[in-house]
């Protein structure tokens, strides 16, 4: 047995693997916000490498295996392609690479409508946390658009971000009524997206609140909405963490990356909302949650490596 798996490990990855890019990418953003630049750049490099691998696999399926591509495009997990691209673009923008971030926003925006419609057409009544990816992908566009708007003073991008933010909240409600609450105590990992979708919504709200485009009543409404959404995401965090402690699920599943992402996203949302929302204690809370997310990420990496190493 070789110490590492052969190249076949990535050619058959399911769309859910995109959650790994989302998880590592948002940790890079959080580490940047807390001043841990070396760790942040290392996470960015890993996230970028994973994104390239999945993009190559995505393209190969699109060109060479249209049947599998169409079957997977109908599943909510396909929207990780959009969300992962926006998370990576957000970190590149913070690095000052605005052209690359803009290209990733254009790519994500091009993928989003087709994948979203395909997913919504195949919704059913009782679904796992993956259903909330319709919100996550949409709010990812809002976050990246708002980030680029602030970097380049493009007011039209701020307005587009606001539209995506509002639509994302509506999609969250639509996903919530289809979410199987039994997943909270029996889910394989993606049930955490129920809270993570609110966290990325709060991050989008924080980015919009910080924008000079919105003043007066509009600014106040955004500030209040951001705090309410963030409070709800923290409530989900407490409920989901309590369920994990009460009903442990120690085995590895690729959907565990959809646990790491909400952990990192909640931390990043707290860090980002502290100043524009006028709640300073959110920053130390975000720092604590960030290290919890880092620990979860390292454990998930170790479990994934052991599983891959055991494959023939």
């Amino acid at each position: 047995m070789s110490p590492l798996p052969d190249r076949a490990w990535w050619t058959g990855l399911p769309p859910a693997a995109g959650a790994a890019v989302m998880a590592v990418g948002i940790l890079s953003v959080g580490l940047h916000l807390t001043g841990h630049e070396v760790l942040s750049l290392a996470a960015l490099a890993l996230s970028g490498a994973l994104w390239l691998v999945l993009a190559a696999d995505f393209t190969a399926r699109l060109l060479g295996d249209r049947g599998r591509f169409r079957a997977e495009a109908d599943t909510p997990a396909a929207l990780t392609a959009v969300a992962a691209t926006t998370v990576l673009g957000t970190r590149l923008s913070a690095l000052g690479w605005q052209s690359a971030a803009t290209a990733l926003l254009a790519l994500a925006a091009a993928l989003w409508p087709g994948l979203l419609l395909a997913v919504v057409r195949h919704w059913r009544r009782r679904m796992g946390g993956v259903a909330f990816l319709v919100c996550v992908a949409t709010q990812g566009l809002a976050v990246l658009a708002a980030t680029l708007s602030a970097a380049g003073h493009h007011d039209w991008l701020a307005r587009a971000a606001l539209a995506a933010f509002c639509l994302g909240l509506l999609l969250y409600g639509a996903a919530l009524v289809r979410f199987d609450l039994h997943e909270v105590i029996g889910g394989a990992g993606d049930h955490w997206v129920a809270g993570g979708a609110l966290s990325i919504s709060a991050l989008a709200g924080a980015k919009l609140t910080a924008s000079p485009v919105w003043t007066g009543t509009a600014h106040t409404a955004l500030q209040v909405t951001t705090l309410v959404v963030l409070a709800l995401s923290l409530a989900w965090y407490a409920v989901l963490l309590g369920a994990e402690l009460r009903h442990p699920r120690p085995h590895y599943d690729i959907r565990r990356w959809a646990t790491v992402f909400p952990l990192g996203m909640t931390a990043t949302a707290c860090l980002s909302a502290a100043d524009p929302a006028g709640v300073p204690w959110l920053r130390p809370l975000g720092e604590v949650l960030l290290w919890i997310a880092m620990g979860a990420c390292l454990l998930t990496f170790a479990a994934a490596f052991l599983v891959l190493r055991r494959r023939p």
Side-chain angles (χ1 to χ4, degrees):
M1 179 184 295
S2 62
L4 291 171
D6 61 29
R7 68 183 298 272
W9 71 270
W10 64 267
T11 57
L13 284 174
V21 181
M22 296 159 58
V24 181
I26 200 59
L27 286 176
S28 177
V29 174
L31 290 165
H32 169 69
L33 292 174
T34 53
H36 298 89
E37 203 62 26
V38 174
L39 286 175
S40 175
L41 291 174
L44 173 61
L46 179 56
S47 178
L50 290 171
W51 185 88
L52 289 172
V53 168
L54 293 175
D57 191 30
F58 182 93
T59 304
R61 274 177 279 170
L62 175 62
L63 299 178
D65 191 352
R66 298 298 295 274
R68 179 185 171 190
F69 177 84
R70 284 192 294 269
E72 291 181 343
D74 292 340
T75 64
L79 285 166
T80 59
V82 176
T85 300
T86 59
V87 170
L88 184 60
T90 300
R91 182 61 185 95
L92 291 180
S93 178
L95 201 60
W97 297 3
Q98 308 306 338
S99 296
T102 300
L104 289 177
L105 175 60
L107 175 60
L111 292 173
W112 173 75
L115 292 175
L116 180 68
L117 290 174
V119 167
V120 170
R121 281 201 305 265
H122 291 83
W123 257 354
R124 56 185 189 278
R125 290 187 60 187
R126 298 171 67 86
M127 300 181 67
V130 72
F132 292 100
L133 281 170
V134 295
C135 171
V136 172
T138 306
Q139 296 292 14
L141 291 172
V143 170
L144 183 49
T147 300
L148 288 170
S149 171
H153 306 289
H154 302 302
D155 290 358
W156 70 271
L157 269 178
R159 294 186 178 90
L162 179 62
F165 173 67
C166 295
L167 177 59
L169 292 178
L170 292 175
L171 288 170
Y172 184 89
L176 182 61
V177 299
R178 291 168 174 80
F179 178 53
D180 184 358
L181 289 175
H182 292 94
E183 290 288 303
V184 172
I185 60 174
D190 60 348
H191 55 293
W192 275 82
V193 186
L198 287 175
S199 296
I200 193 172
S201 298
L203 177 58
K207 295 280 188 181
L208 288 166
T209 302
S211 172
V213 174
W214 315 110
T215 59
T217 304
H219 178 269
T220 301
L222 280 170
Q223 189 178 51
V224 171
T225 302
T226 298
L227 286 173
V228 169
V229 172
L230 182 57
L232 290 173
S233 74
L234 289 171
W236 262 117
Y237 191 110
V239 169
L240 292 166
L241 181 60
E244 291 280 353
L245 296 175
R246 180 67 178 82
H247 305 277
R249 283 149 272 186
H251 61 282
Y252 175 74
D253 189 294
I254 197 169
R255 287 169 289 183
R256 267 304 176 192
W257 289 110
T259 297
V260 179
F261 170 70
L263 292 174
M265 182 55 75
T266 304
T268 303
C270 288
L271 292 168
S272 299
D275 289 339
V279 186
W281 58 263
L282 283 174
R283 184 168 182 83
L285 174 61
E287 291 174 353
V288 172
L289 296 180
L290 180 63
W291 292 113
I292 293 174
M294 283 291 293
C297 183
L298 293 174
L299 287 174
T300 306
F301 258 122
F305 179 81
L306 290 175
V307 168
L308 290 172
R309 191 175 185 274
R310 290 173 186 149
R311 288 183 180 176

